[in-house]
């Protein structure tokens, strides 16, 4: 048995790299993070004939500079892990730009196999490749593939195994950068070799090029002042002589080399014409029709998510209801067993309450995967960028924010498409201000309780608008304080439209859905049990047996830890117009916002309550003013998002710091805003 | 005040001029350091300069130039720069070496000769029979020592090609404009990418390189960003970023 071959998959975003990865590894995948960064690391295995292949899917990048985390991760894993072969997935219909990364891989001197993917599209566009000449000029084998039709995989893996078995070392590609640059490279290279003894010729050249390119990572390794001095002097000389910085000229020459190669080996048999993708864009991002179509599509996505999602949600709810009763049935009627309560109310109720959103989340992710894989997502970002740029964010932030109206969790997970960490964190932190679906039951309970019919819709609109306005203000605030910095350029490819493959869409959906499920099984389970303990303990010693079951429940809740915290909080929340009952219900609402309604039902001993409960509304009317009612909604809108959101923020930001910042920040904001509204409102006698 | 200033007076004024530019004021310690002389001679010279009304100077204080001093100093600096530029740009001499030589020459040549140097440099750059390429050719020749005669023929051919390709003066194709000013449907050739750092680098990495053709396809519904076609694919850029890319229109 020969040892397994390490294969790294590199390529531009939208080159079909992921489809190829899925084809090669099938379901034998493992998704994780690169240590220290939130860049996804996908690994998989596959058998090819006799051999075992370990495949790493590198992040999709356009270049191998060290300007973005993805590029750095891709480069470091090639340099540090030394894969036996690097497969560079190239979109053959967009050869020049795709080869820019390929040429950098060749310059690195690693064994490369090119997969000319989407070769069918290239052919239909009238591109004719002389593959032999191309392979000769680039010095690496080229295999034409069609990822979504699974064509060329066998040949690709054959070539990969062949190259891997040939073993290193590979001659690094040496591009002639022209007399002036070459002189600079020679000078720096000499210095590099003079000051380090372990670098061979090819590595020294690569290091010299990178130093001239101002590569921060490479510069960090060469502290010898003489080296950096030479680099500086040569850079200055080049700038003087050629009128632009060395790194720009090197990039130019690299592209020049590529277009030279393409001139020799690629023929275009038909005149460039409007492609199908161009024609779709003429309608879909049209000056006037673009926005209506976009809004319509978004509406469709949400409609699908919530209508198609409802039946399975009912099934899940029904299942957990049944499960609760079934498990409860193990004890005799009216049993006060703690274990029963823990299982039924704590675990089954808690996890069920979170899992019930799974259909919504999966559907939403399905829709997002379709939009992403088809290429529409880039257009959405393109159309929304102006708006988002105004609040200091990137066009790509729009979809996650919009998703937040459904549920914050998928929204926060969708921020992965954002490249800049600053943008990502800002979007993540303010996202819970987009009023999610779970808060709707609270509004549905309170608005009819306090406001006349004609006010219902405007009231709801006001609440949502307050959320949006606060999100904008907070985003601006964050971007100008802790996330201050140059805004990320909107230099983004608008990839050609493609019909997404079912396989990759499902894999996409499942990857993200799985994360949610895992959370429900671990952290959320733990918090559910904790909250159960808080609302059930300690039990009052002697409850008046003459009381009705509802009143007994209310007394128990009042006596519990949550109830006591509610009581203790009363002085603190009084200025917002809240009493201990609301405080107690708010603690329960941390599990999931809509739990607030059920908890209010218990504290007011009206038994099982949902948002349609008239007896509960009567109680509310009797105990609170409309102003206080409004303040409840306001506080629930802004305050601490549910525990699942916090857990996801922790996961996606890779640190508890930001999750806690979100929790504390939003709660303080809620407190401040609600306090001011209640106090000013009371003083002015509005809704008193 | 005329040409009659001594060499060292001019050097002093020049040094003060640069120090004031860099730090808003000059201290005698910095002047001494810059001219590599000892502090006592600086003090003496500063007093002399004050007496001539060229600098404002209190003992142990900061030094600034008077209006007259400023005028003289900037004349010297201009002369220095003109000489240095001539050596760097026309004679392809290393900048440090040119700087040093200019220091010595600036006092010896009259402003009339310096003017001629400047004019000649300009002439070389703009005259169709010379031009920047011609000058670079000279630099190349100096570095590579031997130049084969057949290279001359090839060089002349290339020049002719350039002349034929060059659009006639006066057409709007000549003018360099920012990419953000092109209208949808217009094509252009990229001249230069300004801006800096990661943004500029990113733009280059995406294939926006000097000489490539670019077509503005459309503007987003809200008026920003724009969608351009380059190297056969669609790229979106904010107008703010596109403003840093200068292009020349080409007729479709």
């Amino acid at each position: 048995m020969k040892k397994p071959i390490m294969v790294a998959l590199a390529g531009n975003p939208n080159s079909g790299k992921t489809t190829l990865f899925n084809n090669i590894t099938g379901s034998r995948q493992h998704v994780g993070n690169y240590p220290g960064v939130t860049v996804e690391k996908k690994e998989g295995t596959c058998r090819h004939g006799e051999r075992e292949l370990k495949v790493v899917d590198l992040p999709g990048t356009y270049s191998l500079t060290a300007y973005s985390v993805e590029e750095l991760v891709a480069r470091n894993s090639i340099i540090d892990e030394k894969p036996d072969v690097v497969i560079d997935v190239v979109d053959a219909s967009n050869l020049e730009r795709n080869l820019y990364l390929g040429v950098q891989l060749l310059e690195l001197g690693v064994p490369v196999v090119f997969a000319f993917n989407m070769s069918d599209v290239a052919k239909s566009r009238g591109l004719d490749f002389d593959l032999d000449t191309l392979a000769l000029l680039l010095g690496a084998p080229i295999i034409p593939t069609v990822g979504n039709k699974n064509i060329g995989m066998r040949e690709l893996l054959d070539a990969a195994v062949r190259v891997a078995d040939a073993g290193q070392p590979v001659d690094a590609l040496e591009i002639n950068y022209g007399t002036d640059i070459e002189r600079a490279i020679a000078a720096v290279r000499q210095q590099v070799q003079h000051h380090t003894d372990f670098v061979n010729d090819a590595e020294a050249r690569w290091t010299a090029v990178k130093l001239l390119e101002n590569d921060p990572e490479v510069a960090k390794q060469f502290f010898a002042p003489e080296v950096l001095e030479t680099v500086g002097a040569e850079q200055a000389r080049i700038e003087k002589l050629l009128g632009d910085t060395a790194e720009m000229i090197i990039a130019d020459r690299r592209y020049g080399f590529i277009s030279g190669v393409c001139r020799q080996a690629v023929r275009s048999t038909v005149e460039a014409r409007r492609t199908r993708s161009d024609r779709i864009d003429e309608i879909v991002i049209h000056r006037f029709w673009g926005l209506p179509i976009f809004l319509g599509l978004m509406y469709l996505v949400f409609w699908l998510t919530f209508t198609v999602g409802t039946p399975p949600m009912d099934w899940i709810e029904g299942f957990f209801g049944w499960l609760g009763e079934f498990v409860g049935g193990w004890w005799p009627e009216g049993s006060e067993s703690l274990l029963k309560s823990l299982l039924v109310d704590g675990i089954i109720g808690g996890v069920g309450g979170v899992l019930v959103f799974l259909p919504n989340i999966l559907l939403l992710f399905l829709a997002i995967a379709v939009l992403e894989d088809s290429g529409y997502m880039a257009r959405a970002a393109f159309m929304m960028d102006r708006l988002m740029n105004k609040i200091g964010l990137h066009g790509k932030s729009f979809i996650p924010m919009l998703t937040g109206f459904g549920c914050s969790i998928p929204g926060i997970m969708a921020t992965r498409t954002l490249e800049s960490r600053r943008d990502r964190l800002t979007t993540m932190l303010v996202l819970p201000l987009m009023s999610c679906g779970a808060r709707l039951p609270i509004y549905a309970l309170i608005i009819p309780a306090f406001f006349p019919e004609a006010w219902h819709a405007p009231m709801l609109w006001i609440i949502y608008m307050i959320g949006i306005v606060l999100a904008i203000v907070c985003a601006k605030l964050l971007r100008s304080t802790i996330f201050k910095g140059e805004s990320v350029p909107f230099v983004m490819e608008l990839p050609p439209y493609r019909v997404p493959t079912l396989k990759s869409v499902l894999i996409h959906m499942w990857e993200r859905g799985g994360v949610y499920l895992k959370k429900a099984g671990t952290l959320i389970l733990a918090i559910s049990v904790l909250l159960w303990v808080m609302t059930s303990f300690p039990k009052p010693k002697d409850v008046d047996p003459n009381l009705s079951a509802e009143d007994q429940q209310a007394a128990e809740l009042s006596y519990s830890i949550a109830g006591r915290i509610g009581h203790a909080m009363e002085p603190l929340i009084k200025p917002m117009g809240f009493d201990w009952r609301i405080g107690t219900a708010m603690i329960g609402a941390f599990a999931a916002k809509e739990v607030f309604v059920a908890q209010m039902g218990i504290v007011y001993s009206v038994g099982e309550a949902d948002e349609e409960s008239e007896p509960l509304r009567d109680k509310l009317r009797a105990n609170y003013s409309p102003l206080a009612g409004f303040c409840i909604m306001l506080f629930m809108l802004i305050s601490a998002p549910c525990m699942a959101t916090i857990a996801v923020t922790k996961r996606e930001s890779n640190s508890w710091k930001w999750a806690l910042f979100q929790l504390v920040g939003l709660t303080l904001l809620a407190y401040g805003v609600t306090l001011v509204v209640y106090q000013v409102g009371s003083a002015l006698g509005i809704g008193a | 005040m005329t040409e009659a200033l001594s060499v060292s007076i001019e050097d002093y004024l020049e040094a003060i001029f640069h120090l004031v530019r860099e730090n808003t004021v000059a201290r005698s310690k910095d002047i001494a350091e810059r001219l590599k002389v000892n502090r006592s001679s600086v003090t003496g010279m500063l007093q002399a300069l004050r007496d001539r009304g060229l600098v404002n100077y209190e003992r142990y204080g900061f030094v600034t130039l008077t209006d007259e001093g400023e005028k003289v100093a900037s004349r010297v600096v201009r002369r220095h720069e003109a000489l240095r530029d001539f050596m760097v740009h026309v004679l392809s001499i290393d900048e440090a070496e040119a700087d040093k030589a200019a220091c010595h020459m600036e006092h010896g040549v009259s402003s009339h000769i310096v003017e001629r140097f400047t004019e000649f440099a300009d002439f070389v750059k703009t005259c169709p029979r010379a031009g920047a390429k011609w000058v670079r050719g000279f630099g190349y020749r100096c570095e590579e020592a031997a130049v084969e005669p057949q290279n001359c023929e090839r060089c002349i051919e290339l020049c002719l090609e350039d002349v034929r390709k060059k659009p006639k003066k006066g057409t709007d194709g000549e003018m360099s404009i920012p990419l953000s000013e092109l209208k949808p449907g217009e094509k252009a050739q990229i001249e230069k990418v300004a801006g800096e750092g990661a943004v500029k680098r990113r733009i280059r990495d995406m294939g926006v390189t000097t000489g490539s053709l670019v077509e503005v396809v459309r503007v987003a519904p809200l008026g920003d960003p724009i969608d351009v076609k380059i190297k056969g694919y669609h790229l979106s850029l904010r107008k703010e970023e596109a403003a840093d890319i200068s292009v020349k229109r080409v007729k479709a």
Side-chain angles (χ1 to χ4, degrees):
Chain A
M1 189 72 197
K2 290 179 181 168
K3 73 175 180 66
I5 297 173
M6 279 275 292
V7 182
L9 217 55
N12 283 185
N14 309 308
S15 61
K17 189 165 64 75
T18 309
T19 313
L20 234 66
F21 178 70
N22 290 336
N23 284 349
I24 294 173
T25 61
S27 54
R28 294 172 299 275
Q29 298 186 3
H30 171 76
V31 184
N33 270 355
Y34 284 93
V37 289
T38 47
V39 178
E40 227 167 55
K41 180 178 195 174
K42 286 207 239 171
E43 288 174 303
T45 57
C46 98
R47 292 200 64 81
H48 183 66
E50 296 283 278
R51 308 301 295 274
E52 170 136 8
L53 272 62
K54 281 177 114 168
V55 190
V56 181
D57 191 16
L58 300 176
T61 60
Y62 293 103
S63 175
L64 279 188
T65 47
Y67 278 110
S68 74
V69 199
E70 282 79 8
E71 289 180 6
L72 198 61
V73 164
R75 192 169 91 189
N76 285 347
S77 55
I78 289 174
I79 294 177
D80 299 339
E81 287 171 27
K82 296 203 177 10
D84 298 309
V85 56
V86 178
I87 296 181
D88 181 24
V89 184
V90 164
D91 174 0
S93 62
N94 182 5
L95 197 55
E96 282 192 42
R97 206 213 50 224
N98 273 263
L99 277 181
Y100 188 71
L101 174 73
V103 162
Q104 291 183 64
L105 287 169
L106 294 171
E107 283 186 281
L108 207 54
V110 292
V112 174
V113 173
F114 286 104
F116 270 33
N117 201 23
M118 302 185 213
S119 48
D120 55 338
V121 180
K123 196 167 268 174
S124 75
R125 288 207 191 156
L127 292 173
D128 191 14
F129 304 114
D130 178 353
L131 289 182
D132 293 334
T133 309
L134 266 177
L136 195 70
L137 290 172
L138 294 172
I142 300 172
I143 311 295
T145 58
V146 183
N148 52 11
K149 292 187 187 131
N150 212 354
I151 296 173
M153 296 304 130
R154 175 185 295 275
E155 293 82 351
L156 182 64
L157 293 181
D158 280 343
V161 170
R162 212 164 46 239
V163 168
D165 281 347
Q168 311 209 30
V170 180
D171 286 336
L173 174 74
E174 282 196 17
I175 294 175
N176 184 355
Y177 285 108
T179 327
D180 300 307
I181 304 270
E182 285 299 333
R183 248 187 68 189
I185 292 174
V188 175
R189 178 179 170 167
Q190 202 195 353
Q191 284 289 336
V192 167
Q193 272 174 319
H194 186 69
H195 287 276
T196 45
D197 40 28
F198 57 89
V199 189
N200 66 30
D201 276 6
E203 272 177 68
R205 182 183 163 87
W206 185 82
T207 308
V209 173
K210 285 290 149 194
L211 284 171
L212 286 169
E213 279 188 284
N214 260 341
D215 189 293
E217 281 298 307
V218 175
K220 254 193 252 166
Q221 298 162 19
F222 283 92
F223 284 113
E226 291 91 341
V227 177
L228 297 181
E229 218 167 78
T230 311
V231 172
E234 291 298 327
Q235 281 172 336
R237 190 179 64 85
I238 286 166
E239 195 160 352
K240 200 98 217 165
L241 218 55
L242 304 177
D244 207 342
T245 56
E247 58 170 327
M248 293 303 140
I249 289 170
I250 290 175
D252 270 5
R253 297 280 155 87
R254 206 175 270 140
Y255 263 113
F257 170 79
I258 294 164
S259 70
V261 168
C262 290
R263 259 203 304 279
Q264 285 190 56
V266 184
R267 260 183 338 122
S268 186
T269 50
V270 291
E271 271 297 291
R273 58 192 154 90
R274 290 251 174 253
T275 60
R276 196 177 47 164
S277 187
D278 287 342
R279 287 199 299 275
I280 297 174
D281 265 345
E282 265 160 37
I283 304 163
V284 166
I285 43 178
H286 185 268
R287 223 54 244 225
F288 304 115
W289 306 126
L291 283 178
I293 290 175
F294 171 67
L295 294 176
L297 263 174
M298 287 302 114
Y299 182 79
L300 192 72
V301 167
F302 286 106
W303 181 81
L304 274 178
T305 308
F306 291 99
T307 40
V308 179
T310 307
M313 280 175 90
D314 289 343
W315 301 334
I316 293 178
E317 226 176 344
F319 170 75
F320 278 99
W322 169 83
L323 189 69
E325 268 175 36
F326 175 74
V327 172
W330 296 345
W331 285 270
E333 187 77 26
S335 156
E336 289 299 324
S337 160
L338 271 182
L339 184 63
K340 173 190 165 188
S341 174
L342 171 67
L343 282 177
V344 176
D345 302 331
I347 295 177
I348 296 176
V351 172
V354 175
L355 276 190
V356 92
F357 292 110
L358 189 65
N360 273 344
I361 286 175
L362 286 182
L363 278 166
L364 198 61
F365 278 142
L366 182 73
I368 289 180
V370 170
L371 291 179
E372 230 165 38
D373 288 5
S374 65
Y376 185 77
M377 209 59 117
R379 272 77 181 179
F382 176 68
M383 288 189 283
M384 285 298 123
D385 182 63
R386 178 110 200 235
L387 211 64
M388 300 312 285
N389 194 14
K390 284 232 157 81
I391 57 171
L393 288 174
H394 193 273
K396 284 184 186 168
S397 294
F398 189 78
I399 300 284
M401 299 275 253
L402 197 68
T403 310
F405 284 118
C407 176
S408 302
I409 295 157
I412 289 172
M413 281 154 83
T415 57
R416 291 209 158 181
T417 52
L418 287 162
E419 287 166 50
S420 134
R421 185 166 166 79
R422 276 196 289 257
D423 281 356
R424 240 193 114 188
L425 282 173
T426 311
T427 311
M428 231 183 262
L429 292 178
V430 305
L431 205 135
L433 288 168
M434 304 284 130
S435 185
C436 71
R439 279 171 251 193
L440 204 54
I442 304 174
Y443 310 148
L445 170 77
I446 288 177
I447 292 176
F450 292 105
F451 302 98
E453 184 84 44
W455 277 85
H456 290 182
M459 218 56 209
L460 196 60
W461 184 83
I462 287 174
I463 287 289
Y464 273 82
M465 284 316 288
I466 290 174
I468 294 170
V469 170
L470 279 175
I472 292 174
V473 171
C474 289
K476 265 213 113 118
L477 207 67
L478 287 172
R479 280 302 262 123
S480 53
T481 53
I482 45 177
F483 299 129
K484 198 172 173 155
E486 202 183 339
S487 70
V488 174
F490 194 74
V491 184
M492 184 187 74
E493 184 185 2
L494 296 170
Y497 288 102
R498 279 176 202 133
V499 181
T501 62
L502 188 65
K503 194 172 172 180
S504 76
V505 164
L506 288 180
I507 287 180
H508 243 118
M509 175 185 94
W510 191 246
E511 270 169 20
R512 290 168 179 169
V515 171
Y516 182 76
L517 267 184
K518 219 167 113 188
K519 274 279 113 78
T522 52
L523 191 73
I524 293 174
L525 181 70
I527 298 182
S528 298
V529 172
L530 185 70
L531 281 172
W532 169 79
V533 170
M534 285 174 73
T535 48
S536 334
F537 291 97
K539 296 272 181 211
K541 286 242 165 47
D542 38 5
V543 182
D544 187 352
N546 298 328
L547 286 176
S548 67
E550 286 83 15
D551 284 336
Q552 278 185 24
Q553 257 189 327
E556 280 176 13
L557 182 57
S558 165
Y559 194 76
S560 72
I561 300 176
R564 287 169 197 212
I565 295 177
H567 279 292
M569 277 198 322
E570 203 171 64
L572 197 67
I573 58 179
K574 194 96 203 160
M576 295 190 289
F578 301 167
D579 57 12
W580 70 270
R581 294 184 179 88
I582 295 176
T584 307
M586 278 184 331
I587 293 170
F590 183 59
K593 292 264 170 177
E594 73 278 16
V595 170
F596 181 81
V597 174
Q599 295 267 306
M600 287 300 275
I602 298 173
V603 284
Y604 275 111
S605 40
V606 291
E608 290 281 300
D610 62 21
E611 65 270 24
E612 297 299 321
S613 166
E614 267 315 316
L616 181 54
R617 284 192 187 138
D618 289 337
K619 291 273 188 193
L620 290 176
R621 255 193 300 274
N623 283 284
Y624 309 105
S625 65
L627 179 64
F630 180 78
C631 284
I632 294 175
M633 294 195 288
L634 203 56
F635 191 84
M636 293 313 288
L637 164 74
I638 310 169
S639 74
C642 66
M643 59 180 178
T645 304
I646 301 291
V648 166
T649 302
K650 188 259 154 186
R651 186 197 137 89
E652 294 296 311
S653 66
N654 218 356
S655 98
W656 274 112
K657 187 175 91 184
W658 295 116
L660 291 177
F661 179 71
Q662 184 181 48
L663 174 69
V664 174
L666 286 175
T667 307
L668 286 179
L669 180 70
Y671 187 77
V673 171
T674 315
L675 186 83
V676 168
V677 167
Y678 187 75
Q679 291 303 329
V680 171
S682 308
L684 297 177
I686 302 167
Chain B
M1 305 294 298
T2 47
E3 308 272 327
L5 284 172
S6 81
V7 169
S8 59
I9 286 185
E10 287 190 345
D11 278 338
Y12 270 91
L13 288 175
E14 202 179 346
I16 296 167
F17 181 87
H18 285 299
L19 286 169
V20 169
R21 277 294 134 89
E22 284 157 26
N23 318 324
T24 60
V25 287
R27 292 174 302 176
S28 53
K29 181 175 127 246
D30 299 331
I31 299 172
E33 234 164 60
R34 199 177 179 105
L35 294 174
K36 299 195 176 65
V37 292
N38 62 42
R39 296 211 23 204
S40 55
S41 39
V42 173
T43 316
M45 178 57 94
L46 285 176
Q47 275 158 2
L49 287 172
R50 187 186 53 194
D51 295 345
R52 290 192 183 214
L54 294 171
V55 301
N56 305 311
Y57 166 65
E58 299 300 323
R59 227 169 177 327
Y60 306 119
F62 296 125
V63 185
T64 52
L65 292 167
T66 61
D67 285 351
E68 183 60 31
E70 179 95 18
K71 221 155 75 190
V72 177
S74 55
R75 204 165 57 213
V76 178
V77 169
R78 224 173 26 241
R79 234 188 295 161
H80 177 102
E81 281 171 357
L83 287 166
R84 188 196 55 199
D85 285 356
F86 182 82
M87 285 184 269
V88 172
H89 293 307
V90 182
L91 303 181
S92 291
I93 285 166
D94 186 69
E95 197 178 331
E97 195 184 338
D99 216 36
K100 221 161 118 197
C103 266
H104 293 298
M105 286 167 74
E106 68 194 17
H107 312 294
V109 287
S110 69
S111 33
H112 180 65
I113 293 174
V114 171
E115 257 166 48
R116 278 295 162 91
F117 269 125
T118 317
E119 273 169 28
F120 183 68
D122 261 1
F123 173 74
V124 164
K125 254 188 242 168
T126 49
C127 170
R129 284 187 296 175
K133 266 194 194 158
W134 182 71
V135 177
R136 231 178 280 152
F138 175 68
Y140 183 78
R141 186 179 185 277
C142 294
E143 281 166 21
E144 305 298 313
V147 172
E148 308 290 325
Q150 61 262 39
N151 280 1
C152 289
E153 276 172 35
R154 202 172 134 51
C155 177
I156 289 169
E157 266 169 40
L158 284 175
C159 289
L160 275 174
E161 224 171 86
D162 274 358
V163 171
R164 283 189 209 108
K165 266 196 261 169
K166 232 178 230 171
K168 293 274 171 290
K169 271 222 166 97
T171 56
D172 55 0
E174 270 286 86
M175 281 229 301
S176 192
I177 51 165
L179 177 62
S180 50
E181 277 178 22
L182 288 193
K183 291 188 183 57
E186 284 186 318
K187 286 188 181 143
Q189 187 168 31
I190 290 165
E191 292 264 283
K192 196 175 161 70
V193 181
E196 53 193 271
V199 180
K200 184 179 177 185
R201 179 67 209 221
R202 185 70 198 273
I203 290 175
R204 282 280 167 128
D205 282 349
M206 297 297 281
V208 184
T209 51
T210 314
S212 357
L213 282 176
V214 59
E215 179 191 347
V216 174
V217 181
R218 63 171 61 80
V219 178
L222 296 175
D224 200 19
I226 56 173
D227 166 7
V228 303
K229 202 165 187 178
I230 188 158
K231 289 199 166 32
Y233 81 99
H234 288 266
L235 181 72
S236 83
L237 295 163
R238 286 190 189 136
K239 283 187 172 163
E240 184 192 336
E241 287 137 21
D244 282 340
I245 302 171
S246 48
V247 297
K248 269 186 186 172
R249 275 202 193 90
V250 293
K251 290 277 170 283

